[in-house]
Amino acid sequence: MPQKTLIVVIGPTAIGKTALAIELAQFYQTEIISADSRQFFKEMHIGTAKPSTEELAAAPHHFIDSHSVKTLFSTGDFEAAALQLMEELFKKHDVLIMVGGSGLYIDAICKGLDELPEIDLNIREQLNQQFATTGIESIRQQLAALDPEYYAKVDQSNPQRMIRGLEVVLSTGKKLSSFLTASKKERPFNMIKVGLNTDRTLLYERINHRVDLMMEAGLLQEVQQLLPYRQYNALNTVGYSELFDYLEGKSDLASAVAMIKQNTRRFAKRQLTWFRRDENTTWFEPNQTNEVIGHIQNKLKA
């Protein structure tokens, strides 16, 4: 094997990426790098669908429980830290596995981040104040009007990401989406990308079932324990925001759970929109592990 290879496993939430990544890590006797922007945080467990204790023991994982919700860990921070880690891991492995559903974090490693413009800090402060005063919906509507391309890709339950899009267009007059087209950075390793997907009806059933399992596992109790951290951006995310609203008396529990399912389905749809842009990804059904390994083996021999 002349050059080091990163196998990238992508796909929507609840599709089975973790299980496939572990199978691949065991097959190639290697280690897994998580590119899931919520699994970094050690205070969040059930709602982020982290690998179980048994799964974590089945293969070495990195960037799971690596940071606190109180720590700002940006996409750029992840790019720098993950590339440095991979340089060390490639000294003892010819193949590494990266797995995750956060498209921007995957792209940070595979393509590199774009150089973004300087932001008017007064505009940032105004937008943060707008969010605090009027809530997320006004931010959504403004971003959809000013940069519909970025709005279609962004996690619409994440105010920080949407404010980022707004502050760029209001500071520069140019859409953030127009800055996300820089030429790909060269990486000192090969990449093989495999995606998991299935029929949308089946995917939505998997999502709904997983939310039910999360509630049975104690997601509400986890969110209650995280109330002191409510203000941190990491918790402005699906599965947590809806239950915070319930605990604050803004909805009943059944409505909150239904909203988690709906918002997760919407998130999965946006994930697929993002990932399908990459023509270098080969797609498989969740149960096609042998086919995935066969495909990777052929690529490694090529």
Side-chain angles (χ1 to χ4, degrees):
M1 200 176 298
Q3 194 175 8
K4 306 296 183 176
T5 300
L6 179 67
I7 299 169
V8 183
V9 179
I10 60 175
T13 187
I15 197 65
K17 298 185 296 294
T18 295
L20 175 59
I22 290 171
E23 292 264 15
L24 293 175
Q26 292 178 333
F27 184 85
Y28 289 105
Q29 293 293 292
T30 189
E31 307 186 29
I32 297 172
I33 297 164
S34 173
D36 187 302
S37 64
R38 300 191 307 164
Q39 292 183 358
F40 301 143
F41 300 112
K42 56 190 175 185
E43 294 88 352
M44 302 162 70
H45 298 282
I46 299 170
T48 62
K50 277 179 185 167
S52 67
T53 303
E54 293 76 21
E55 288 172 326
L56 290 171
H61 286 71
H62 302 274
F63 295 104
I64 301 284
D65 290 337
S66 55
H67 292 74
S68 169
V69 295
K70 295 182 282 187
T71 304
L72 182 61
F73 188 60
S74 69
T75 321
D77 294 332
F78 174 70
E79 178 187 20
L83 288 173
Q84 183 178 16
L85 172 67
M86 289 164 60
E87 184 177 353
E88 291 303 311
L89 293 179
F90 272 135
K91 292 176 181 176
K92 55 181 178 176
H93 300 291
D94 289 325
V95 170
L96 295 175
I97 314 296
M98 174 170 283
V99 60
S102 302
L104 195 57
Y105 287 75
I106 295 287
D107 282 357
I109 301 305
C110 297
K111 302 177 181 178
L113 293 174
D114 301 87
E115 295 295 327
L116 294 179
E118 290 292 321
I119 297 302
D120 185 333
L121 295 181
N122 290 325
I123 289 176
R124 176 174 293 174
E125 180 58 34
Q126 290 168 12
L127 289 170
N128 285 328
Q129 188 61 43
Q130 177 184 331
F131 170 62
T133 305
T134 63
I136 198 169
E137 191 55 39
S138 70
I139 298 292
R140 281 197 191 107
Q141 292 175 1
Q142 194 174 357
L143 181 62
L146 293 176
D147 191 348
E149 294 86 359
Y150 181 67
Y151 177 78
K153 300 172 186 174
V154 73
D155 178 357
Q156 292 162 15
S157 65
N158 187 322
Q160 186 182 51
R161 295 272 174 84
M162 290 192 291
I163 287 172
R164 181 63 172 149
L166 277 177
E167 66 186 18
V168 168
V169 71
L170 292 174
S171 294
T172 68
K174 297 180 180 179
K175 299 175 183 179
L176 176 56
S177 53
S178 71
F179 290 97
L180 303 178
T181 55
S183 58
K184 179 179 174 181
K185 294 180 182 176
E186 291 299 317
R187 298 300 192 203
F189 46 82
N190 291 324
M191 282 173 271
I192 300 173
K193 293 184 179 179
V194 294
L196 293 182
N197 195 20
T198 192
D199 174 77
R200 180 168 292 185
T201 301
L202 180 57
L203 173 61
Y204 286 178
E205 288 176 359
R206 292 174 73 121
I207 288 171
N208 293 340
H209 180 58
R210 189 164 79 172
V211 173
D212 289 335
L213 291 177
M214 286 177 171
M215 292 303 295
E216 291 173 16
L219 178 58
L220 179 58
Q221 290 74 25
E222 176 172 291
V223 174
Q224 284 176 316
Q225 293 172 357
L226 289 170
L227 272 172
Y229 304 100
R230 175 77 168 94
Q231 75 274 22
Y232 291 107
N233 181 65
L235 291 162
N236 286 318
T237 190
V238 177
Y240 293 84
S241 299
E242 298 86 353
L243 290 177
F244 282 132
D245 284 347
Y246 161 69
L247 292 171
E248 293 167 359
K250 297 177 183 177
S251 69
D252 59 77
L253 185 57
S255 299
V257 172
M259 190 58 68
I260 292 173
K261 292 177 179 178
Q262 183 183 78
N263 288 338
T264 306
R265 294 192 300 267
R266 288 174 174 169
F267 178 56
K269 188 176 179 181
R270 291 195 300 275
Q271 286 176 301
L272 286 167
T273 298
W274 182 290
F275 289 134
R276 282 174 176 153
R277 298 174 308 150
D278 193 333
E279 297 176 354
N280 295 317
T281 301
T282 304
W283 292 90
F284 297 88
E285 289 281 333
N287 59 355
Q288 291 185 300
T289 303
N290 291 336
E291 288 86 345
V292 171
I293 291 175
H295 167 74
I296 293 171
Q297 289 291 86
N298 288 334
K299 285 279 191 178
L300 290 173
K301 293 172 185 173

